[in-house]
Amino acid sequence: MAISAKERLIVIASDGIFDVVSNQEVIDLCFRHRDDPTRACISLVDNSHKEWLLNDDCDENEANYDDLTCICLFFQHPEHEVAD
């Protein structure tokens, strides 16, 4: 898969994230921290954890919610390509 100049972000995340956060929410959360990919991941995991705790079947003491894992890759493309 080629990365086009339009791509700004790729998020690789476990289903524990996507079970409780929509695709658009993932993008929005990550872009709030686009200058700090680590902070973007922490924010996404924290938000997902909070959403899991709102689930009636979830018990934080027994950690019966899904795994929460993510990688955020931000891309910066030059505005002008250098001619050979």
Side-chain angles (χ1 to χ4, degrees):
M1 177 176 154
I3 304 297
S4 77
K6 293 181 181 182
E7 278 25 281
R8 298 288 181 243
L9 169 65
I10 292 177
V11 177
I12 302 168
S14 63
D15 65 329
I17 302 282
F18 290 107
D19 283 346
V20 293
V21 181
S22 73
N23 292 346
Q24 188 60 54
E25 289 173 310
V26 167
I27 298 304
D28 293 345
L29 281 166
C30 290
F31 262 101
R32 286 184 200 145
H33 306 285
R34 65 182 154 267
D35 294 329
D36 185 351
T38 301
R39 185 71 220 144
C41 289
I42 291 168
S43 176
L44 182 53
V45 168
D46 286 349
N47 183 272
S48 299
H49 181 244
K50 288 176 188 172
E51 290 297 322
W52 270 103
L53 293 177
L54 295 175
N55 185 328
D56 291 337
D57 295 329
C58 183
D59 180 357
E60 185 174 21
N61 296 323
E62 294 183 25
N64 62 346
Y65 44 87
D66 209 345
D67 65 296
L68 304 171
T69 306
C70 70
I71 299 170
C72 298
L73 303 169
F74 291 92
F75 298 98
Q76 294 179 346
H77 301 282
E79 291 183 14
H80 305 286
E81 290 186 24
V82 178
D84 292 333

